[in-house]
Amino acid sequence: MSSARVGAARLKSRIKVTRTGLSIAGPLHAQPARNTILRGDCVKLMQTLPEESVDLVFADPPYNLQLANKLTRPDQSLVDAVDDDWDKFADFSTYDAFTRDWLAAARRVMKPTATIFVIGSYHNIFRVGAIMQDLGFWILNDIVWRKNNPMPNFRGRRFTNAHETMIWAARDPAVKSYTFNYEALKAGNEDCQMRSDWLLPICTGSERLKDSEGRKAHPTQKPETLLARVLLSASNPGDLVLDPFFGTGTTGAVAKRLRRDFIGLEREDGYAQAAAARIAAVEPLSEDAVALAPSKRAEPRIAFGSLVEAGMIAPGAVLTDVKKRHTAIVRADGAVSLSGFVGSIHKTGALAQGLPACNGWTFWHFETNGRLAPIDELRSQAREALREAAE
């Protein structure tokens, strides 16, 4: 057995696993009904939900478009614009009061680690953002949904309105452990970080729900691709997602497909019925298809010095980069020495390359079984020992 594996066995033998049963932090609340659509005013309905009970909120509130006249195309045909009563407010102060009420109600039911997405246009999103900050939300990102097929500006008096904005926020500034599936998003984006500008199509074709007369069932139905990215970004299978403005149920349909649970709040009976029928037809994906990608941040922290202490790599061992241009010596205290400079694996790796920072785990290599391997392999063995000890 190699010295590294002997060291891993020692490390495993030193771990004591304690099982003390269920630990509850904070008040215990009744669980809300899941996978249901509640009919009525969203503020009043949220006040009936238990505090700190939902994992994610997606809100598509009225945009307060302030349309004074009907919109027509150059050929004088009528544009199917949003002119429903639910989008009409007497003035900005009325809209602000409504916004403050529903955001406060949503914040009350969010778990301490929950986050919220609010989508809007230039008509309302700046007012919404200011109110969110006033209420104590901590804005994490503003995300631009860039539409690859936007409606043109028929009058030619403004830029074409080609995007909407989403505000993504934590419940308060102190929250650090909110869900963000960074590795999964990066893997699905060709190993590039997911950016805050999302190029996605608007809802058209067979996805667009129609009523019995062939008209749009809802004027502002969002595409499922948008909700899928939101849910995959900031929730996990089994999480509870709240949508206070459920409409025709895009959030519920996507949540069911991705094996999340949902609560939808909707005051219009026609929308609620359309949503229920739509969601009933959705088949959840397999558990394997929605299983979380391994997260490096969730892995237990292993210090290089602990590998030295466990005998997985011996003091005096020689480390090199993969091309053997630089050589460092492992010290008994877990630091490494490079040409007289003593520091961490990261600082010495940065110094060797003349860079401000370096991931020493992947830069430094050791020789094992006639080959060079990154010292990260030793860290992986130590983590495996931790997992086995916890079973």
Side-chain angles (χ1 to χ4, degrees), residues 82-125:
V82 181
D83 57 1
D84 301 81
D85 289 341
W86 50 258
D87 194 58
K88 296 176 181 177
F89 295 83
D91 48 37
F92 285 132
S93 63
T94 303
Y95 184 79
D96 290 351
F98 162 77
T99 300
R100 189 171 291 105
D101 287 346
W102 78 256
L103 278 169
R107 190 169 185 267
R108 185 188 72 85
V109 300
M110 291 170 63
K111 292 179 179 178
T113 55
T115 58
I116 180 172
F117 286 81
V118 185
I119 189 168
S121 69
Y122 70 88
H123 301 87
N124 72 322
I125 198 64

Side-chain angles (χ1 to χ4, degrees), residues 87-358:
D87 194 58
K88 296 176 181 177
F89 295 83
D91 48 37
F92 285 132
S93 63
T94 303
Y95 184 79
D96 290 351
F98 162 77
T99 300
R100 189 171 291 105
D101 287 346
W102 78 256
L103 278 169
R107 190 169 185 267
R108 185 188 72 85
V109 300
M110 291 170 63
K111 292 179 179 178
T113 55
T115 58
I116 180 172
F117 286 81
V118 185
I119 189 168
S121 69
Y122 70 88
H123 301 87
N124 72 322
I125 198 64
F126 304 107
R127 310 185 76 85
V128 170
I131 293 170
M132 291 180 75
Q133 290 179 316
D134 289 344
L135 291 174
F137 289 98
W138 185 254
I139 295 178
L140 301 169
N141 277 114
D142 64 322
I143 300 166
V144 174
W145 167 31
R146 182 184 164 205
K147 306 172 184 178
N148 61 8
N149 50 349
M151 181 184 295
N153 183 270
F154 295 112
R155 295 179 179 176
R157 304 277 295 178
R158 303 183 184 183
F159 296 107
T160 297
N161 235 1
H163 77 278
E164 294 182 27
T165 300
M166 284 190 296
I167 295 174
W168 181 40
R171 201 183 74 167
D172 58 67
V175 175
K176 303 299 181 185
S177 56
Y178 55 85
T179 297
F180 179 53
N181 296 317
Y182 171 82
E183 286 85 2
L185 293 170
K186 186 176 179 180
N189 196 39
E190 299 186 0
D191 290 325
C192 294
Q193 289 185 342
M194 183 62 70
R195 292 160 48 117
S196 62
D197 52 338
W198 299 356
L199 179 61
L200 299 169
I202 63 174
C203 184
T204 58
S206 60
E207 185 183 336
R208 170 69 77 170
L209 269 62
K210 303 291 180 60
D211 62 18
S212 58
E213 298 179 7
R215 298 173 302 191
K216 295 177 183 177
H218 194 288
T220 64
Q221 181 181 334
K222 296 300 184 288
E224 292 190 5
T225 52
L226 179 70
L227 267 298
R229 188 170 293 183
V230 166
L231 267 61
L232 290 170
S233 300
S235 71
N236 300 318
D239 279 356
L240 180 59
V241 182
L242 171 68
D243 186 335
F245 307 96
F246 203 55
T248 49
T250 302
T251 300
V254 174
K256 183 178 178 182
R257 183 172 294 114
L258 297 179
R259 291 184 174 270
R260 277 73 169 165
D261 294 330
F262 70 89
I263 296 177
L265 312 180
E266 179 52 52
R267 75 179 195 181
E268 304 291 335
D269 187 60
Y271 294 160
Q273 289 185 22
R278 175 187 186 183
I279 294 167
V282 172
E283 288 293 331
L285 294 172
S286 68
E287 292 184 4
D288 287 342
V290 300
L292 293 177
S295 171
K296 291 182 180 180
R297 296 184 182 185
E299 294 277 8
R301 185 179 180 277
I302 301 290
F304 182 70
S306 66
L307 305 184
V308 177
E309 292 173 353
M312 298 181 72
I313 188 164
V318 176
L319 303 180
T320 69
D321 64 294
V322 69
K323 294 184 178 180
K324 295 188 175 182
R325 292 174 299 185
H326 307 284
T327 301
I329 305 298
V330 176
R331 290 165 46 94
D333 57 9
V336 295
S337 174
L338 174 69
S339 301
F341 174 81
V342 176
S344 70
I345 55 174
H346 309 297
K347 287 186 176 180
T348 52
L351 179 65
Q353 300 173 87
L355 297 175
C358 168

Side-chain angles (χ1 to χ4, degrees), residues 43-56:
V43 175
K44 292 179 180 178
L45 289 172
M46 281 189 280
Q47 290 170 348
T48 69
L49 299 177
E51 292 183 25
E52 300 182 359
S53 58
V54 303
D55 299 287
L56 177 67

